[in-house]
Amino acid sequence: MIVNFMGRDWQWNPLDKKLVQVNDWIKDLHEALKFVPQKRRDIAIQAGGAMGMWPHELSFHFRSVRTFEPDAGNYKCLVANCADRTNISHTQAGLGAYDGFISVELPPSEANNAGAYYTMPAGEGVDPAHSVPQFSLDSLYDEGNFDDGRVDFIQLDVEGRELDVLLGAIGIIERD
């Protein structure tokens, strides 16, 4: 499915009928950026990348954008929609307080909202084909994933798991 927004066509998850209605929320990003000095725009981390609108827009304001999206359908659209921006790196994974595996689920009440996928720890016996990796930002830092700069901005849309992501980023927040 193709959606036209911000003067361009976006590949869109055909399961979505709701997220597309709130595209104008991207204006919130421009409000937040007023508080980020130009000299502090090195690396932006964005989680809950959905179809790629947020990381795409962030790529015009930061030297590098690292985005994470756990849902396979959304991730496929994100990759296609961000292909023209060479300063975006993307990973099909979730972020949290620790490294592990998570399951990705869409509650029945949100059946038409591709932006409402929830993640939860994958239980024992969960088929790896039905789970995705979860990383803490601090473990990614420890592995050298942010050696090329300073993390100056974190934008999260992780359906209520924001505190978990921040708990896994205490070292980065203290450092940068």
Side-chain angles (χ1 to χ4, degrees):
M1 179 167 118
I2 302 294
V3 171
N4 188 283
F5 183 69
M6 298 188 321
R8 64 170 283 187
D9 289 337
W10 298 83
Q11 284 193 22
W12 211 256
N13 188 330
L15 301 176
D16 182 67
K17 304 289 185 264
K18 176 124 181 169
L19 181 62
V20 71
Q21 296 173 6
V22 296
N23 283 341
D24 62 345
W25 288 1
I26 199 122
K27 294 175 191 166
D28 294 345
L29 172 62
H30 298 286
E31 289 301 313
L33 287 175
K34 292 177 183 176
F35 299 96
V36 182
Q38 289 293 330
K39 65 182 179 177
R40 293 289 307 219
R41 294 195 180 187
D42 198 24
I43 297 173
I45 295 171
Q46 193 282 325
M51 269 52 91
M53 288 177 25
W54 287 84
H56 193 274
E57 185 63 23
L58 283 167
S59 73
F60 293 101
H61 302 279
F62 290 86
R63 181 187 60 78
S64 178
V65 177
R66 317 288 167 82
T67 186
F68 301 83
E69 170 57 47
D71 175 66
N74 288 350
Y75 182 72
K76 180 179 176 183
C77 293
L78 182 152
V79 170
N81 291 328
C82 293
D84 64 323
R85 303 300 300 160
T86 59
N87 63 333
I88 298 174
S89 64
H90 44 75
T91 305
Q92 185 184 352
L95 295 178
Y98 58 86
D99 290 358
F101 287 89
I102 53 176
S103 63
V104 182
E105 299 179 21
L106 187 63
S109 62
E110 295 286 355
N112 294 318
N113 184 357
Y117 280 94
Y118 287 79
T119 61
M120 52 198 66
E124 294 223 5
V126 171
D127 181 351
H130 293 93
S131 64
V132 296
Q134 170 181 279
F135 303 106
S136 76
L137 287 170
D138 285 341
S139 71
L140 292 173
Y141 172 76
D142 291 344
E143 293 170 6
N145 287 278
F146 302 109
D147 284 352
D148 62 333
R150 178 186 61 233
V151 175
D152 288 323
F153 190 82
I154 300 173
Q155 188 271 328
L156 305 173
D157 184 3
V158 293
E159 305 308 311
R161 300 219 38 240
E162 288 79 5
L163 182 57
D164 287 340
V165 176
L166 293 174
L167 288 172
I170 290 172
I172 285 177
I173 293 167
E174 288 176 344
R175 183 194 82 167
D176 295 343

